[in-house]
Amino acid sequence: MTDVQKLKAALGDIKTEDNPAIVRQKSRDFFWYSPILKRQLDHVTGDLIASPKTEAEVIRVLETCYAEGVPVTPRGSGTGNYGQAMPLSGGVVLSLAEFNHVKSVERGRVIVEPGAVLAEIDRQTRPGGQEIRMHPSTYNTASAAGFIAGGSGGCGSIRWGGLRNIGNVLGLRIVTMEATPRVLELRGRDLMKVMHAYGTNGIITEVELPLTAAYDWVEVIAGFDDYMRAVRFADLIANQDGLLFKEISTVAAPVPYDYFLRHRKFLKPEHSVVLIMVAPHAIDPFQALAAESKAEILFRSDAATDAEKKGLPPLFELTWNHTTLRGLRVDPTITYLQVLYPFPTHVESVEKMTRIFGDEVPGHLEFQRFDGNVCCSGLPIVRYTTDSRLDEIIKIHEDNGCPIFNPHRYTLEEGGMKQTDAVQLAFKREADPKGLLNPGKMIAWENPDFDLDSDKVYLFPGLQQIAAE
Amino acid sequence: MTDVQKLKAALGDIKTEDNPAIVRQKSRDFFWYSPILKRQLDHVTGDLIASPKTEAEVIRVLETCYAEGVPVTPRGSGTGNYGQAMPLSGGVVLSLAEFNHVKSVERGRVIVEPGAVLAEIDRQTRPGGQEIRMHPSTYNTASAAGFIAGGSGGCGSIRWGGLRNIGNVLGLRIVTMEATPRVLELRGRDLMKVMHAYGTNGIITEVELPLTAAYDWVEVIAGFDDYMRAVRFADLIANQDGLLFKEISTVAAPVPYDYFLRHRKFLKPEHSVVLIMVAPHAIDPFQALAAESKAEILFRSDAATDAEKKGLPPLFELTWNHTTLRGLRVDPTITYLQVLYPFPTHVESVEKMTRIFGDEVPGHLEFQRFDGNVCCSGLPIVRYTTDSRLDEIIKIHEDNGCPIFNPHRYTLEEGGMKQTDAVQLAFKREADPKGLLNPGKMIAWENPDFDLDSDKVYLFPGLQQIAAE
């Protein structure tokens, strides 16, 4: 058990917080999208929040916690969905939210501190005509390092692929968890050591991202009376090399009408939609394609009146995991999955899953580039009944060649590729020899003998016990 | 026969030129890359050059020529390779080179007059951080309307696909060839009526192009001891969604050493090369991939000394049809082909052709996006011997699933898809009822009964006769 007062004293003038209600709140993310994680993690809380504002302060927190043997779980804005930043064994939650300056903007690149909010980065790069390549639907709150440590892509992935594709992050500074923490600069392939590692093997203190041309993206909602027509239209436009999109997503009826409440005035219950962000100079040719595909244009931000636009969230807040969030606000019993529909059979796979599950698993696709080709990943809504039916739904997807990245698991391996990442494991040995960083998330570290091919769910022995009622 | 003096008088203060030597020079393009076109077209010349500087002057030239029944062949900078702008029946060569202002630059788009030189457009858009999406290797001389009427893609096609992909041209103003010429504005799908139509069905008087982010592209030459290793490396990097390239081209040994004379100091005879333009912020991750593929970096413009760079042409002047040009300067007996290696078997197809032809057809590929995927087209050097062997080489390619766009033909159909373009033919009926625009280039107009599936070569009956020696 962490001696909170001793730790506070040792941290001196570094900002800390030990009010249990606030600590608990800052120990949580959006894990409750999953009924399974909700049961497993709802009681989890840290003992102390430490909020360093500089790399030197990060180093002091780490060397202090290392000396005391206290676990440290880094956190950006807490917008994760699988408990990425939840301190399973308690200890210090290292909040990087206040270590957040944009340090420099150059042509094609920006250097920021870890807690810099993505939307704030763009506010500072846009005057020069530039913006970051991609962002999750939590753009307005998510932090740069949190996105890199816990995210995988988002709006912009239709053009640039995933965050882990080489070139989408240019550089990271990392502090290690050792008696005397080291500062390492990673570039090129070395970045893979820590990307999407949930902060289990180093603390990010600086991020260098590539920038691209900024545009006043036009938001479009195209409506179809049939979901597969929407999917085919999305696939058609996503493969137009001459058209510049930032986002192409499909959502099956009745989800848009039932859950997109502030956009409901543009929708009918039977509308399946394609949600699009397109460059202003591509709107004419886009309209030509929409007319040829008999898409019904339900909303265009560049043509809507101020009255129509009043109170609307940005369109990207209907996409990625905001689709699920909007559903949960209306119907807390739903949940979701994360599916990959591999190229070149992605449209067929979607059609097959749609036919098998119907309204039990209403479709939601995010089109994106993957190894040079356009395919789609899905975050379908699942009308949850039981854990075993959820497992069955997952199995049917996998049996049909659609891998699942299970959002109902808190470990890197089970939520990811279901295999050990030898590079990240080796780097954890180097950078976190005592295993104090974000305990319980890397199975390969906690239990090298665990069989990832079994049907067993990993249960971290260090997970805080649920208090007796 | 055109009455030149009468025509000059009728054109009044519009600039004209009738000096036969100059008229002949301005009636030619780079048709002589082809030994076949060289024989067929070498004697072709117009009767008069007219150089309007405004749309009103274009209209006056067209109405005058229409009244007199004089053919009009439009011309930009004359950088075509198949006689696109050569006046097969004589008459007026309508030079648009002096009608060339950049009219307006906005975020994401530029509006120019037809004769605007591509490099000049970029000179005016670069201060705002923008440049045109793609350009041929004749960037420093080619005109905007000439590129659209006679070109198909170039540097930038690795990112944006071909010029005819929807979105890569935004708008065109067209003047028709009628008693009272009309001015039409084309956008969206209507642009297809005149794009790549060699000016056979309307004269372009204004061009609206999309712009993209401008970078100080880093030029790289990567060397390999085996051509297929070069091809595989090019394919690998072309499919990295997170890396930003403007150009990826491969050239088989011994072409680089033998023909790239000003770059010879970086090359050895056994070097097959990949020619690359990469964004400065992508150079680190690019280098990581190059190291993994054991590419030998022979040249990097950002690392070369001023002494090394002295006298070097820009790297794009080693690519596309400049590869052929550099070959012809050293060995005037060579020629070339234009091949498509369709996705997803493009690398296999290249390997097969390389094995079949060896040094008779040294490889030269241009990687580009095509319907959403990366594939490559080739402009292989051909060590020409006879017309019948050239036909045989073409046939072997086609029999192996590699379509040829024959650069030894002066008609739209034979140099292209070998089929009638019904849209362009219908538009010619509307816009050029007398058939006076660029006669002899659209077989569907000249001889609707000609069988494009036959092995016969079309011979335009109106082609000027070769004068008796």
Side-chain angles (χ1 to χ4, degrees), chain A residues 351-369:
Chain A
E351 186 157 32
K352 197 163 182 192
M353 294 304 103
T354 303
R355 206 167 48 227
I356 290 175
F357 293 111
D359 193 55
E360 185 184 11
V361 185
H364 166 201
L365 299 175
E366 296 289 343
F367 281 75
Q368 55 202 284
R369 289 212 164 270

Side-chain angles (χ1 to χ4, degrees), chain B residues 364-386:
Chain B
H364 166 203
L365 299 175
E366 296 289 344
F367 280 75
Q368 55 202 284
R369 289 212 164 269
F370 198 92
D371 292 341
N373 306 305
V374 171
C375 69
C376 45
S377 66
L379 296 96
I381 300 286
V382 176
R383 303 202 193 271
Y384 174 79
T385 47
T386 64

Side-chain angles (χ1 to χ4, degrees), chain A residues 221 254-267 308 310-313 317-318 322-323 325-331:
Chain A
I221 303 178
V255 169
Y257 183 83
D258 285 353
Y259 298 158
F260 298 168
L261 301 184
R262 290 197 272 164
H263 283 84
R264 184 178 264 185
K265 57 189 170 188
F266 306 110
L267 299 162
E308 284 170 334
K310 194 160 178 236
L312 294 184
E317 290 185 359
L318 304 178
H322 264 73
T323 316
L325 178 62
R326 289 184 191 282
L328 282 162
R329 283 183 186 157
V330 173
D331 178 357

Side-chain angles (χ1 to χ4, degrees), chain A residues 385-404:
Chain A
T385 48
T386 63
D387 288 6
S388 65
R389 177 57 183 163
L390 185 59
D391 286 343
E392 218 166 59
I393 293 171
I394 290 173
K395 190 167 180 328
I396 293 169
H397 277 84
E398 289 176 337
D399 289 349
N400 281 283
C402 302
I404 295 283

Side-chain angles (χ1 to χ4, degrees), chain A residues 107-109 129 133 159 166 170 187 189 214 239-242 280-281 284-285 289 292 369-373, chain B residues 107-109 129 133 159-160 166 170 187 189 214 239 241-242 280-281 284-285 289 292 369-373:
Chain A
R107 185 79 192 152
R109 57 181 102 209
R133 286 181 171 178
R159 214 175 144 204
I166 195 163
L170 297 175
R187 301 189 79 78
R189 198 64 90 182
N239 279 287
Q240 300 299 315
D241 299 314
H281 51 282
D284 268 13
L289 293 178
E292 287 165 11
R369 289 212 164 270
F370 199 93
D371 291 342
N373 305 305
Chain B
R107 186 77 191 153
R109 55 182 102 210
R133 286 181 171 178
R159 215 174 142 203
W160 300 105
I166 195 163
L170 296 176
R187 301 190 79 78
R189 198 62 92 183
N239 279 287
D241 300 314
H281 52 282
D284 268 13
L289 293 178
E292 287 165 10
R369 289 212 164 269
F370 198 92
D371 292 341
N373 306 305

